[in-house]
Amino acid sequence: MTQLLWSDDFSVGVASIDYEHKELVTLINEICQALETNPGESKHELLGELFAKISAHFALEEKIMRDHRYDRYKQHKADHEKLLDDLRDIMDSHEDSGRTSAEKLVKALGDWFGVHFKTEDARLHRHLG
Ligand SMILES: [Fe+2]
Ligand SMILES: [Fe+2]
């Protein structure tokens, strides 16, 4: 079973943010499980739900940054946009081929989450408390 394992490295040190990040990881793992147990069925809806949840999480962080005139707003937002683009590509290719491998999803999101959580997010939440 392909899963994205939560690692203590992902923690930004703020319980409410870690909780939201863990929810995203849980949803990714649900999608992986669905991809592996029922590969022939479209996962369009689940991927759409993931996209909506990640977008909402990013929008909240970006609002917090704007409210505090956070100095790395631009870079942090650009990083968010990059992930949303990657996720859109995964969704498009899923539409075209009807297939997405759980490994591909975990690789794309896991690498990104692993780095983004412990760099930009950790800095943001350390900065703003
Ligand atoms: Fe972020
Ligand atoms: Fe985040």
Side-chain angles (χ1 to χ4, degrees):
M1 186 68 67
T2 309
Q3 297 274 276
L4 176 55
L5 292 178
W6 178 266
S7 128
D8 285 342
D9 272 13
F10 288 3
S11 175
V12 300
V14 178
S16 60
I17 301 295
D18 285 345
Y19 180 79
E20 278 204 25
H21 288 162
K22 278 179 185 162
E23 281 192 325
L24 296 176
V25 168
T26 301
L27 182 57
I28 291 162
N29 286 332
E30 279 171 24
I31 298 174
C32 286
Q33 195 173 5
L35 286 167
E36 292 192 335
T37 53
N38 201 347
E41 183 194 87
S42 170
K43 303 298 176 293
H44 183 71
E45 236 171 77
L46 277 173
L47 288 168
E49 188 186 333
L50 178 64
F51 189 88
K53 282 216 167 118
I54 292 179
S55 300
H57 173 72
F58 287 172
L60 180 68
E61 280 187 357
E62 286 163 18
K63 182 182 184 316
I64 294 172
M65 289 192 270
R66 281 195 305 275
D67 288 351
H68 290 84
R69 300 178 184 283
Y70 181 61
D71 60 344
R72 277 184 66 81
Y73 174 71
K74 258 185 146 173
Q75 296 93 323
H76 195 138
K77 187 171 172 14
D79 213 17
H80 286 170
E81 275 159 13
K82 166 93 178 66
L83 189 266
L84 292 177
D85 278 350
D86 290 350
L87 192 53
R88 246 181 241 117
D89 287 345
I90 290 174
M91 290 170 78
D92 286 348
S93 78
H94 184 74
E95 288 289 281
D96 293 344
S97 66
R99 299 194 154 263
T100 301
S101 78
E103 286 86 5
K104 191 175 144 194
L105 190 68
V106 163
K107 173 109 190 59
L109 297 175
D111 286 357
W112 190 89
F113 274 175
V115 174
H116 184 82
F117 287 177
K118 67 181 168 205
T119 55
E120 294 295 351
D121 281 359
R123 184 186 190 274
L124 169 66
H125 300 296
R126 228 177 15 241
H127 207 75
L128 303 181

